């Protein structure tokens, strides 16, 4: 996207880069694979003539075009510079990493700036691939360091020192989980990392419950007062709107507690089995609160799943992947501090699209580069990406495939064979990996660059994430059935009744910001109402210049089509997050059962969500347009901008042409609306007081 305001220096700190197998990002020169790379002229550069200084040029529209300098050569000890001629920030970040997993060089460069990459001067002779951490799909290049005495900094392959530490498991029907600061062992050496944690662990305890069994979870906010109120969303679950982790209502304030009631049923039947997760959803602060650690697994098990004889127990392993950036003392950096202190108006709805809370270390279940000792047995791995921003394209180092059996909110109808699996923030994939016949082998789970991303589509970093060590034998009574579990049938209307459009609004002169249907998020506004019991077909369209991952709350959703075609096999189960590359449209459907109330949809790249790419729909009693107190329909949006954009973008049958009101009439109209809102807010407060007394 275009960054049209100049004050973004705090908006993007980090870098995605990665812990990589050294060989993936580095080789000693000369090297055939590198010489064969398009644009490389290694053979034409006489070794003795390698320049003492060279510059990587980032051109205008680099996100689409890549670096202007695809290959750059310096003598060992020479100077490497970078010039950014684009209007966005970019980085030059090595794929290869050092002893602690940091990229060997990593330079962030603002629009219009020139920087020197000092770390490049210390490198050993060799060939180093690099990428932009914000655009790893489209921006890649190669640095060749020539000559020298053989000394210098070399890449280090990850040692996978720490054994994988699974979070504690909670299975009770009434759970109590404090939310507090805790010290987490993320790296094998050095201090532990202070995080905000559910239940004192990161990830939080894995909640495992049978579908159809009511579950009450009480969270107590014991974080420092300065952390503010939090709110917990059960991602993928179906429950009352009060228990949905509303961004600015039903909060858990400092020193208080709140009980969430999850019946785990849908229309009187047990919910589908699913790999869900729970995480904070606080308005404008979701990225911050998740970065600090408020994330955990929620696994729902079903009877039909048990009958399938899939790997279970110790052979069912939830794996949460997420990137973070650390200080030299192993503490989380705070990319949000600068934003909230000195960027007033630069966060929240209508903030400029400063996307990219990214890290340079990828954690697996809260550890950097762990290993897991496995048996010669089939394993069910539940892959979940909880990064604020980054996507990963998962693959196994020995080239074996994943057998994907589930996605998002449930099992797939049939297993599907995947060589690699791209998951954006909040996406899940349940896969089976078979380690039989592999005794004493080591297999690395990697992130690989996304194959042929569409123009401006999201890419993925190269990284070694964790290692499986096949250490022992075990008899295996599991199987991979040819049929798994079809999603419950749905009679979706053929006609799309509402379209959600994700885009930028504004102009270069006024500044741009993220929108849904032309408007930034307003927690009081409801875009569309759905009568309880109705089934609706909606379209999700990405008109923005980059990929978004769109999440719909509350129901478990069917994907009807992707770009006019039948969805791919991995989208034929129930899902709740869809990757939308630029220009893509996904048609989805759900039956709205059990609960009236207000629910969200948003981009799950959490900076986008916090910066306004969020909206709400309401489930209402049939033949009623009654919204809970404190909400109003989009038609009476009170800001001039909201009204204008709302009128332009509504495609609901309910949306009426806006009346051209005269000045005094408009004033009266606004006064009326304001009064209605005040009264509604009062009613809401009284309701809330009553509610609080009852809990
Ligand atoms: Cu987004």
């Amino acid at each position: 996207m275009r960054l049209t305001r100049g004050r973004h220096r705090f908006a993007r700190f980090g870098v995605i880069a990665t812990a990589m197998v050294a060989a993936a990002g580095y080789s000693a020169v000369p090297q055939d694979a590198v010489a064969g790379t398009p644009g490389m002229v290694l053979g034409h550069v006489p070794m003795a003539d390698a320049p003492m200084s060279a510059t990587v040029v980032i051109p205008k529209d680099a996100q689409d075009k890549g670096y202007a300098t695809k290959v750059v050569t310096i003598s060992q000890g020479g100077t490497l510079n970078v010039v950014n001629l684009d209007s966005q920030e970019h980085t030059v970040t090595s794929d290869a990493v050092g002893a602690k997993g940091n990229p060997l060089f990593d330079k962030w460069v603002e629009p219009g700036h020139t920087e020197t990459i000092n770390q490049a001067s210390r490198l050993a002779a060799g060939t180093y691939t690099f990428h932009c951490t914000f655009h790893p799909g489209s921006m890649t290049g190669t640095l060749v360091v020539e000559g020298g005495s053989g000394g210098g900094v070399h890449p280090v392959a990850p040692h996978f020192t720490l054994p994988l530490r699974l979070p504690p498991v909670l299975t009770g029907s009434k759970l109590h989980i404090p939310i507090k600061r805790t010290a987490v062992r993320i790296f094998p050496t050095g201090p532990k990392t202070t995080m905000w944690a559910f239940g004192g662990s990161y990830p939080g305890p894995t909640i495992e419950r049978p579908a159809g069994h009511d579950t009450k979870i009480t969270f107590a906010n014991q974080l420092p007062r300065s952390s503010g109120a939090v709110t917990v969303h059960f991602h993928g679950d179906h429950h009352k709107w009060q228990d949905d982790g509303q961004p600015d209502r039903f909060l858990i304030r400092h020193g208080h507690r709140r009980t969430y009631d999850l019946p785990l049923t849908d229309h009187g039947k047990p919910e589908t089995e699913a790999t869900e997760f729970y995480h904070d959803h606080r308005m404008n602060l979701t990225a911050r609160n998740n970065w600090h650690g408020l994330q955990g697994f929620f696994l729902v098990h079903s009877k039909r799943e048990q009958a399938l004889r899939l790997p279970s127990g110790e052979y069912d392993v939830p794996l949460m992947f997420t990137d973070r950036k650390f200080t030299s003392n192993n503490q989380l950096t705070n990319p949000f501090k600068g934003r909230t202190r000195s960027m007033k108006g630069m966060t929240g709805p209508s903030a400029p699209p400063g996307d990219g809370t990214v890290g340079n270390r990828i954690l697996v279940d809260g550890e950097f580069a762990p290993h897991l000792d496995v048996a010669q047995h089939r394993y069910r791995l539940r892959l979940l990406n909880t990064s604020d921003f980054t996507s990963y394209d998962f693959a196994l180092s020995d080239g074996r495939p994943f057998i994907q059996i589930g996605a998002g909110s449930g099992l797939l109808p049939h297993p599907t064979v995947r060589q690699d699996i791209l998951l954006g923030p909040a996406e899940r994939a349940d896969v089976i990996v078979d380690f039989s016949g592999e005794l004493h082998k080591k297999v690395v789970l990697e992130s690989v660059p996304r194959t042929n991303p569409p123009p401006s589509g999201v890419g993925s970093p190269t990284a070694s994430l964790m290692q499986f060590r096949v250490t022992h034998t075990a008899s295996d009574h599991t199987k991979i059935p040819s049929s798994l579990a079809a999603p419950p049938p749905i009679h979706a209307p053929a006609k799309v009744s509402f379209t959600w459009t994700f885009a930028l609004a504004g102009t270069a002169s006024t500044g741009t910001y993220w929108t849904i249907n032309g408007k930034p998020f307003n927690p009081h506004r409801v875009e569309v109402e759905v009568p309880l019991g109705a089934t609706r077909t909606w379209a999700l369209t990405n008109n923005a210049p980059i990929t978004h991952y769109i999440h719909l709350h509350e129901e478990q959703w069917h994907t009807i089509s992707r770009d006019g075609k039948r969805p791919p096999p991995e989208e034929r189960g129930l899902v709740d997050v869809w990757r939308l590359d630029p220009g893509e449209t996904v048609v989805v459907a759900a039956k709205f059962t059990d609960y009236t109330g207000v629910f969200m949809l948003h981009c799950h790249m959490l900076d986008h969500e916090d910066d306004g790419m969020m909206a709400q729909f309401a489930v209402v009693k049939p033949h009623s347009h009654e919204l809970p107190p404190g909400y109003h329909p989009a038609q009476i949006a009170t800001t001039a901008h909201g009204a204008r954009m709302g009128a332009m973008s509504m495609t609901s049958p309910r949306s009426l042409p806006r009346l051209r009101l005269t000045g005094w009439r408009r004033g009266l109209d606004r006064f009326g609306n304001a009064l209605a809102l005040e009264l509604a807010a009062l009613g809401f407060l009284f309701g809330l007081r009553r509610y609080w007394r009852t809990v």
Side-chain angles (χ1 to χ4, degrees), residues 355 389 502 514 546-550 602-609 613:
D355 54 30
F389 187 79
F502 307 89
W514 292 122
I546 70 163
T547 302
H548 295 285
Y549 287 92
I550 301 304
H602 57 88
C603 179
H604 223 289
M605 295 156 106
L606 299 181
D607 297 288
H608 295 178
E609 169 183 343
M613 196 172 248

Side-chain angles (χ1 to χ4, degrees), residues 61-319:
D61 300 330
Q63 181 183 321
D64 299 332
K65 294 178 185 159
Y67 297 102
T69 317
K70 307 279 187 224
V71 181
V72 60
T73 304
I74 55 170
S75 294
Q76 196 190 30
T79 304
L80 182 65
N81 308 295
V82 52
V83 176
N84 184 359
L85 302 177
D86 199 8
S87 55
Q88 299 188 59
E89 294 151 78
H90 297 284
T91 77
V92 176
T93 303
S94 80
D95 290 341
V97 298
K100 286 192 76 183
N102 275 326
L104 290 180
F105 55 91
D106 179 12
K107 197 73 187 181
W108 168 76
V109 52
E110 279 187 87
H113 281 234
T114 300
E115 303 279 355
T116 297
I117 306 172
N118 293 324
Q119 291 156 307
S121 305
R122 297 193 280 274
L123 293 173
T127 301
Y128 302 84
T129 52
F130 60 83
H131 64 278
C132 169
T133 55
F134 302 115
H135 312 101
S138 55
M139 295 180 67
T140 56
T142 304
L143 166 66
V144 181
V145 178
E146 292 190 347
S149 56
V153 174
H154 284 82
V156 178
H159 297 304
F160 305 106
T161 309
L162 289 171
L164 185 77
R165 175 190 60 222
L166 292 171
V169 176
L170 300 178
T171 57
S173 59
K174 288 194 175 65
L175 302 173
H176 293 264
I177 299 180
I179 304 173
K180 58 186 181 186
R181 283 210 303 191
T182 193
V184 180
R185 169 61 62 201
I186 290 178
F187 297 102
T189 58
K192 290 184 176 179
T193 305
T194 301
M195 298 188 76
W196 301 356
F198 289 122
S201 69
Y202 179 73
T206 297
I207 301 169
E208 294 204 39
R209 292 289 297 154
H213 290 240
D214 184 65
T215 304
K216 291 187 174 62
I217 311 171
T218 302
F219 290 93
N221 181 354
Q222 299 170 5
L223 290 171
R225 185 179 293 278
S226 58
S227 304
V230 298
T231 180
V232 184
H233 172 53
F234 299 87
H235 186 121
D237 187 55
H238 174 68
H239 40 244
K240 283 195 191 115
W241 74 294
Q242 296 93 333
D243 294 322
D244 194 44
Q246 295 288 343
D248 71 337
R249 288 167 171 79
F250 314 117
L251 304 177
I252 317 170
R253 301 199 179 277
H254 168 76
H256 288 72
R257 58 186 58 221
R258 178 179 166 76
T259 300
Y260 294 78
D261 184 4
L262 312 175
L264 306 185
T265 55
D266 193 340
H267 207 47
K269 294 203 177 109
E271 273 181 10
T272 54
E273 63 295 315
T275 301
E276 299 174 358
F277 68 117
Y278 60 107
H279 63 86
D280 176 81
H281 213 302
R282 182 79 176 97
M283 182 157 153
N284 302 349
L285 296 170
T286 300
R288 183 198 72 168
N289 293 355
N290 279 265
W291 177 268
H292 284 290
L294 298 183
Q295 307 177 317
F297 272 102
F298 193 110
L299 309 182
V300 179
H301 298 291
S302 72
K303 286 214 172 92
R304 66 176 188 172
E305 179 188 30
Q306 279 167 17
L308 292 171
R309 283 175 43 200
L310 298 168
S312 61
E314 66 179 291
Y315 304 111
D316 180 353
V317 184
L319 296 172

